Amino acid sequence: MFRNASLLSHSSRRTLFHQGTAPSRWRKRLQRTSLLVLGLGSFYTADRIFNASAITRNLRTLYTCAIITLDYKLNFTEEKSESIPELHARVAERMYNLFTSNGGLYIKIGQAIGANAALLPKPMQEQFSKLFDDAPQIPYSEVLRVFKAEFGRPPCGPDGVFEIFEEKAVASASIAQVHRAKLRPLAGDTEDKWVAVKIQKPDVAKQMKWDLGAYRLVMYMFEKWAFDLPVYFVVDFVSDHLRRELDFILESENAKQTAKFVASEPRLAKKVYIPRVYDEYTTKRVMTAEWISGVRLSDRTGMRLLMGESNDSTQATVPSSVNLSEETSPTFSFPARPLKGGVRSVMQTMVELFSAQMFSWGWVHCDGHFGNFICRPNPHDPTVPQLVLLDHGLYVRVDEDFRRDWSLLWTGLLTADFKSVERITRKWGMGLPDMFASVALARPVRLTRKNRKTEAERVTKELEEYMNLSQYEQSARMKAKLKQFLIDTDRMPKALIFLLRSMRIVQGNNQSFGAPVNRVKITGLWASKSLTRLSNLTFGQRLREYMNDIVFRGVLISLDVAFWTTRLKQRVLALFNLKSPSFEDELEKAMRGLMRNNVGIDVGGAFKG
């Protein structure tokens, strides 16, 4: 009996022990969980306040990269070939969400990757083309803080920098936003001076090192883990130019340098304008330039109305002023009569401007999309248009040796001097000269002379073979071709990355207006003319280049015939309300076919962002 009582006593003690410790254990767990949540919350808050969420953003990047890598390792196999398009779409969506969620410099990084999007699967081309430089504006309190740090005083007020400063930004982009302001009048001023004030967002500088580190990681992942494509070699070059975009003093110097080049070129001096920069109101994080009124080229309805090519009798509301960050503000008062020359004259000037930059100046604006162009009545002659170029943060400088090769490449392509083309592409560490030539001209090129019927049969056969390949085999073929294309990335001029992107943008700008000008011919003529102006030529060499230029112009007659035949067809069909593809549309279609059949790349439309 005593033994049973002892057992009962022991059992009771165990029950009482567990009853007493269970709440204690749960209490400890709750305390630990609370401390963990509090710690993570404190870390998140401190990171957000003192480090502009840089660590949190990069943890998000690491997580996304890990998921993408794992997804490709598990699902990019021959056995799962049919699901590869879905795999590419998932990865593209994750990358797009990462860049848009992090914002800031990530948008610029995404655009830099988008410069090479043609080398990536089609879902990525589509997603990266949607990365527009747009973002919510920071509050005025942050603007005030930047001004006090840069100038030691507020934007306006009795001791302010400007007489008037509009607190609401007229535009906000990924790294900066723009406000409209009015300068204080000086002795002798007869009219108000309104300016566009570009202010860098405070978080961007804090995030820069982290973001560029993340860019390096993403590109390494693309090359080594996910796509097995040679893309990492551009990281240092691109990172350096992204850093430069954050220094507004450098941007102001870029603008002034471009203005000098424009003024020195008689063919462009009155047709192109670069807004004046006010150095006394410009620092590393604040840039002030004159406010220019006009119509953005991205507003096709407004442009056609301004140039007298619209059937709309009502005066639409069109942007009146475009500032340094691509946006506009109040309505623009159209002149009583449309400007002369039509949209064709504006596109002619735009193509000539970029041709001069590439072949004559070696000083190339690398963000020439429609948001950075406006058109206004020319102050020298208000009956004709003047093109205004904005946003001078991203430029690439190329030396005379490169410009000579670049010019020879263009003239060689258009005069069938295929030996010169192949020599230059090999010099730049590239295989597949046909492919590079096609990318450079944004038109299909074959560096061989073959019977047309035989060539057509070969292309048809290649297409049939390509279409019969599985998704996995198509991807493998694309990788193999790209590796043949980029043989030696150390020898490749890194500036080509931006130049080819700029050419693609110019093509897209012309194409969006129905290709009113022969872009290829205009660019070729500038390339040929630049060879006659090289600085180190002897008299005999210069004379020979002038003779070559005359011959070159004669060769281009056939290209002009093809262009005007297409234009005539467009106009005839327009009389019957029928649409016909433009010259650029036909080049685009042929280009897509060439790249798909020979390389396995499904090239998307011209750059949108």
Side-chain angles (χ1 to χ4, degrees):
M1 184 177 70
F2 289 106
R3 184 168 177 266
N4 291 336
S6 176
L7 289 171
L8 180 63
S9 176
H10 178 70
S11 176
S12 299
R13 284 198 300 271
R14 286 179 61 191
T15 302
L16 290 173
F17 174 78
H18 283 292
Q19 288 177 346
T21 58
S24 177
R25 288 182 178 180
W26 281 108
R27 191 178 297 113
K28 287 181 179 179
R29 291 175 182 172
L30 182 61
Q31 289 174 347
R32 289 171 183 169
T33 303
S34 300
L35 288 173
L36 178 62
V37 172
L38 181 62
L40 291 174
S42 300
F43 170 81
Y44 175 80
T45 303
D47 182 44
R48 181 172 57 83
I49 295 174
F50 300 108
N51 205 31
S53 299
I55 298 176
T56 304
R57 286 150 49 89
N58 282 274
L59 287 175
R60 185 185 294 125
T61 302
L62 289 172
Y63 172 78
T64 303
C65 288
I67 292 296
I68 289 173
T69 301
L70 184 63
D71 202 357
Y72 265 100
K73 290 296 182 184
L74 294 177
N75 297 307
F76 189 75
T77 64
E78 192 165 4
E79 294 76 18
K80 299 181 180 180
S81 178
E82 295 306 314
S83 62
I84 286 178
E86 289 78 10
L87 169 63
H88 290 327
R90 286 197 305 273
V91 170
E93 186 70 21
R94 286 172 183 144
M95 293 301 300
Y96 179 79
N97 290 338
L98 171 66
F99 289 130
T100 53
S101 296
N102 281 354
L105 202 60
Y106 269 73
I107 299 297
K108 293 290 184 184
I109 291 170
Q111 291 172 346
I113 296 174
N116 305 308
L119 304 182
L120 300 175
K122 191 170 184 179
M124 294 209 171
Q125 297 175 30
E126 295 172 349
Q127 290 288 9
F128 281 115
S129 71
K130 296 190 296 184
L131 279 173
F132 294 101
D133 205 2
D134 192 16
Q137 63 176 277
I138 57 174
Y140 180 70
S141 58
E142 294 290 313
V143 174
L144 186 62
R145 187 156 60 90
V146 172
F147 260 82
K148 288 184 175 180
E150 297 297 305
F151 297 103
R153 50 192 177 134
C156 61
D159 61 339
V161 178
F162 303 104
E163 181 180 10
I164 298 174
F165 184 88
E166 297 178 356
E167 293 189 9
K168 184 177 179 182
V170 296
S172 180
S174 56
I175 65 173
Q177 65 186 40
V178 176
H179 292 252
R180 191 168 180 256
K182 179 185 172 187
L183 298 182
R184 296 185 183 280
L186 301 176
D189 284 349
T190 57
E191 57 183 26
D192 295 338
K193 293 182 179 178
W194 288 91
V195 292
V197 186
K198 183 177 181 179
I199 302 158
Q200 189 176 120
K201 296 180 177 179
D203 289 348
V204 173
K206 296 179 183 178
Q207 296 166 347
M208 181 177 65
K209 289 183 179 180
W210 293 88
D211 290 354
L212 291 179
Y215 167 57
R216 186 176 296 274
L217 173 64
V218 169
M219 296 301 278
Y220 183 86
M221 178 203 72
F222 276 0
E223 178 167 325
K224 302 295 184 181
W225 302 341
F227 303 118
D228 190 27
L229 295 174
V231 293
Y232 187 77
F233 72 96
V234 304
V235 166
D236 289 333
F237 186 80
V238 171
S239 296
D240 179 60
H241 282 80
L242 288 176
R243 289 189 194 96
R244 289 171 176 268
E245 280 202 80
L246 299 186
D247 188 338
F248 291 169
I249 293 178
L250 283 178
E251 181 172 345
S252 69
E253 293 301 317
N254 291 344
K256 286 183 278 189
Q257 179 62 68
T258 304
K260 290 179 182 178
F261 277 127
V262 169
S264 68
E265 176 50 68
R267 290 171 286 183
L268 296 172
K270 293 183 178 181
K271 296 179 180 179
V272 176
Y273 185 74
I274 310 299
R276 173 191 172 187
V277 176
Y278 292 87
D279 290 334
E280 61 271 36
Y281 306 116
T282 296
T283 69
K284 191 170 183 177
R285 295 197 293 164
V286 177
M287 178 177 170
T288 304
E290 67 178 303
W291 186 272
I292 304 294
S293 295
V295 178
R296 276 200 301 180
L297 263 64
S298 55
D299 182 359
R300 288 190 286 274
T301 301
M303 279 296 301
R304 293 196 181 281
L305 189 62
L306 180 67
M307 304 309 298
E309 296 183 1
S310 173
N311 295 323
D312 188 359
S313 59
T314 62
Q315 185 160 309
T317 300
V318 215
S320 69
S321 306
V322 180
N323 50 52
L324 299 176
S325 82
E326 310 173 8
E327 296 299 334
T328 60
S329 78
T331 55
F332 172 68
S333 298
F334 283 83
R337 294 182 180 179
L339 303 183
K340 297 177 182 177
V343 174
R344 183 178 183 276
S345 65
V346 179
M347 290 296 102
Q348 175 90 16
T349 300
M350 182 201 66
V351 177
E352 288 190 340
L353 173 61
F354 276 88
S355 298
Q357 291 177 6
M358 290 190 298
F359 301 116
S360 297
W361 308 339
W363 178 249
V364 186
H365 185 295
C366 295
D367 204 12
H369 57 79
F370 269 168
N372 286 333
F373 279 109
I374 60 175
C375 185
R376 69 171 181 175
N378 194 317
H380 303 286
D381 180 0
T383 66
V384 298
Q386 185 181 64
L387 202 58
V388 182
L389 178 62
L390 308 171
D391 197 349
H392 300 274
L394 183 58
Y395 274 82
V396 168
R397 185 185 290 277
V398 292
D399 59 29
E400 186 168 273
D401 182 60
F402 175 88
R403 295 204 312 273
R404 181 177 181 277
D405 286 340
W406 186 234
S407 300
L408 285 171
L409 180 75
W410 269 80
T411 56
L413 289 170
L414 295 176
T415 57
D417 182 5
F418 300 143
K419 288 185 179 180
S420 294
V421 174
E422 188 165 5
R423 177 184 60 80
I424 293 168
T425 54
R426 297 294 181 187
K427 175 182 176 181
W428 289 346
M430 295 179 180
L432 303 179
D434 294 48
M435 175 180 170
F436 178 76
S438 300
V439 172
L441 267 69
R443 58 171 290 189
V445 174
R446 290 199 180 277
L447 303 182
T448 54
R449 298 181 180 277
K450 294 183 178 179
N451 179 274
R452 288 188 178 183
K453 182 179 179 181
T454 304
E455 182 70 0
E457 290 174 351
R458 187 186 67 81
V459 170
T460 302
K461 183 178 179 181
E462 284 180 351
L463 179 59
E464 291 175 353
E465 291 176 352
Y466 177 78
M467 297 307 294
N468 288 329
L469 296 176
S470 67
Q471 290 289 336
Y472 181 84
E473 290 170 332
Q474 288 178 7
S475 298
R477 177 178 174 178
M478 179 191 73
K479 289 180 182 181
K481 286 286 187 179
L482 288 176
K483 288 179 179 178
Q484 293 175 32
F485 175 49
L486 298 173
I487 296 174
D488 187 350
T489 55
D490 291 335
R491 284 193 287 146
M492 176 183 172
K494 306 304 183 289
L496 272 175
I497 300 297
F498 287 105
L499 261 64
L500 294 176
R501 175 178 183 265
S502 293
M503 290 304 304
R504 189 72 168 146
I505 293 174
V506 170
Q507 179 196 13
N509 291 350
N510 186 39
Q511 191 173 355
S512 68
F513 279 103
V517 298
N518 189 342
R519 169 188 57 86
V520 177
K521 178 188 174 183
I522 296 169
T523 309
L525 288 173
W526 276 82
S528 179
K529 179 60 70 175
S530 71
L531 290 171
T532 68
R533 300 182 175 184
L534 294 173
S535 61
N536 57 350
L537 297 180
T538 65
F539 176 78
Q541 289 172 330
R542 197 174 303 280
L543 182 62
R544 186 163 58 250
E545 291 298 345
Y546 273 109
M547 294 300 296
N548 290 339
D549 183 52
I550 294 173
V551 174
F552 180 76
R553 291 172 181 273
V555 171
L556 290 189
I557 292 176
S558 62
L559 182 63
D560 232 9
V561 169
F563 172 77
W564 286 110
T565 299
T566 303
R567 290 288 291 170
L568 179 62
K569 182 180 177 181
Q570 281 182 287
R571 291 176 180 177
V572 170
L573 291 178
L575 297 175
F576 301 95
N577 293 321
L578 298 173
K579 290 186 177 181
S580 175
S582 69
F583 190 59
E584 293 282 15
D585 292 333
E586 292 182 350
L587 293 180
E588 178 90 8
K589 181 180 178 181
M591 176 75 172
R592 290 186 186 186
L594 177 75
M595 298 297 283
R596 183 181 61 248
N597 300 344
N598 291 306
V599 190
I601 296 177
D602 194 357
V603 179
F607 184 77
K608 302 174 185 176

